[in-house]
Amino acid sequence: EWVSPDNLVVQGDWLYLSADGDCSSRIYRCRFNGSQIQDLGEKAYNAAFAVEGDWIYTIAQGAVVKKRLDGTDQTVVAPLPAKTFPLYTFLVREGCAYFTARNEELFRVDLRTGRIAAIRTWNVSADISCPERLVEDEGWLYYQEPGRHDTNSRQVMRLRLDGTDESGVCYGWPQPH
């Protein structure tokens, strides 16, 4: 019996999911009808993983790692800089992994070379946090600008995949009735 997955990805004839939370989750795969459930081994930090091509990418053992879709051939792509936890979001696009960590930075990892760099830094505090979700579309990363937790001051921003051309997309939100 499945619990609500923390992350769910469809790739080919398989569903990939992570579940069981508490800062580390196992990655599983199964067929669309629920058959052939397979535990792919390594735990994913904060349930964050992405599937691109023939690989699963995740954060494990203090590094960005990749493994084949069946869970074999795990390889370290890049060790993480010191103090990059907690990890909030993880996305793979166009040969790079993107994630927010340490409550203040957006990192990009080149999956071919292993080069890792912070491409955006926020001035955060106890009541202001970095974006918890990234969405990519046509070469842009979209995210909700950090704002105070107790206000409706956040706006939707976008940034090119290379970390340039940040701009606002949507300012403010309608108040619920």
Side-chain angles (χ1 to χ4, degrees):
E1 181 177 316
W2 291 108
V3 296
S4 177
D6 297 312
N7 194 358
L8 181 66
V9 174
V10 174
Q11 180 79 355
D13 295 332
W14 294 94
L15 295 174
Y16 292 83
L17 61 109
S18 61
D20 296 330
D22 294 337
C23 287
S24 66
S25 299
R26 297 200 67 83
I27 299 174
Y28 300 90
R29 76 175 183 172
C30 69
R31 296 292 185 184
F32 293 130
N33 65 4
S35 67
Q36 298 183 27
I37 298 169
Q38 298 173 5
D39 181 342
L40 299 182
E42 190 68 42
K43 292 184 175 185
Y45 183 81
N46 208 24
F49 74 94
V51 175
E52 184 170 272
D54 295 332
W55 298 96
I56 298 170
Y57 294 90
T58 191
I59 302 289
Q61 301 172 355
V64 175
V65 299
K66 70 177 184 177
K67 61 178 134 185
R68 298 219 175 266
L69 294 176
D70 64 1
T72 62
D73 296 331
Q74 181 165 305
T75 305
V76 171
V77 174
L80 297 180
K83 300 180 183 176
T84 54
F85 294 105
L87 175 74
Y88 286 110
T89 187
F90 188 80
L91 174 75
V92 173
R93 292 293 185 276
E94 297 182 15
C96 290
Y98 299 85
F99 62 93
T100 56
R102 213 169 71 197
N103 291 339
E104 61 190 32
E105 293 177 301
L106 169 61
F107 288 94
R108 181 181 63 217
V109 180
D110 184 313
L111 298 173
R112 292 170 295 276
T113 66
R115 183 168 178 239
I116 186 168
I119 61 170
R120 177 70 165 87
T121 301
W122 290 274
N123 183 18
V124 299
S125 65
D127 61 345
I128 297 176
S129 66
C130 71
E132 295 178 7
R133 180 173 302 238
L134 296 172
V135 176
E136 185 274 337
D137 186 54
E138 296 185 13
W140 292 92
L141 292 172
Y142 291 85
Y143 59 90
Q144 191 170 0
E145 178 68 9
R148 296 184 64 82
H149 294 298
D150 59 351
T151 68
N152 197 21
S153 64
R154 295 183 183 196
Q155 57 188 316
V156 175
M157 302 292 289
R158 73 180 187 172
L159 182 71
R160 291 201 183 275
L161 292 175
D162 66 3
T164 62
D165 296 334
E166 183 177 49
S167 60
V169 175
C170 178
Y171 300 93
W173 299 103
Q175 295 296 321
H177 296 90

